[in-house]
Amino acid sequence: MPESKPVMSRAFKVGVWRSYMEIHQRVLAEIARALDERHRLSVSEFDTLVNIPLDGVRLKVLGERTVLTQSAVSRMCDRLARRGLVTRTPVAEDQRGALVRLTDEGRTLLREAVRTNAEVVEENFTSHLSDDDLVALNAVLGRLAPESGDEQCDTPQ
């Protein structure tokens, strides 16, 4: 007679979710602190910059790629432009459209901030997991968000 799998209680499942949220919040707070201290960047500013490809991006598409609303992305790009990190160029065929590009200063700052982000993630999250844990976690998260799996994680090496 085949063994049946134990059924996990709802309380256990909610506890797993709660642990995930607490870890996420703690690591994100450390990322926010490090980005602010080292680069004078908020997490939202970092998220915006990291979602601008080298050849630029339409403002509308940038809004779809970030966690910000369209109007918040527009205001964010205005602030980043005032700091000299991006340029906004009107798009001739679309009166409300704009192309956003990183400036040289923006690319330099972004490279440094990406390294900071990786250091904080490694120090506060991945260093506590084995290689097998990371591979398993990547597989689980890939099942939950299959549309972002290839984009988010390189090969384990």
Side-chain angles (χ1 to χ4, degrees), residues 111-131:
R111 273 193 300 274
E112 294 167 358
V114 164
R115 279 193 292 275
T116 296
N117 180 68
E119 289 169 11
V120 171
V121 168
E122 190 167 31
E123 182 180 322
N124 292 278
F125 183 66
T126 61
S127 67
H128 302 280
L129 301 171
S130 70
D131 290 349

Side-chain angles (χ1 to χ4, degrees), residues 9-82:
S9 72
R10 179 177 281 171
F12 178 80
K13 292 174 185 176
V14 171
V16 169
W17 171 251
R18 179 90 180 145
S19 294
Y20 171 78
M21 294 299 295
E22 288 170 0
I23 292 163
H24 175 268
Q25 184 177 6
R26 187 177 71 239
V27 174
L28 191 58
E30 285 300 313
I31 290 169
R33 184 194 56 71
L35 288 173
D36 182 49
E37 285 178 3
R38 298 182 199 177
H39 311 290
R40 291 186 326 113
L41 281 177
S42 70
V43 172
S44 294
E45 289 167 333
F46 175 73
D47 183 45
T48 301
L49 292 173
V50 83
N51 277 291
I52 300 173
L54 289 177
D55 58 348
V57 64
R58 297 282 296 262
L59 192 58
K60 180 177 175 53
V61 173
L62 184 58
E64 295 165 359
R65 296 175 79 160
T66 66
V67 296
L68 302 173
T69 64
Q70 197 66 45
S71 61
V73 167
S74 183
R75 290 190 306 274
M76 174 70 69
C77 287
D78 287 342
R79 284 195 308 274
L80 294 171
R82 284 193 296 276

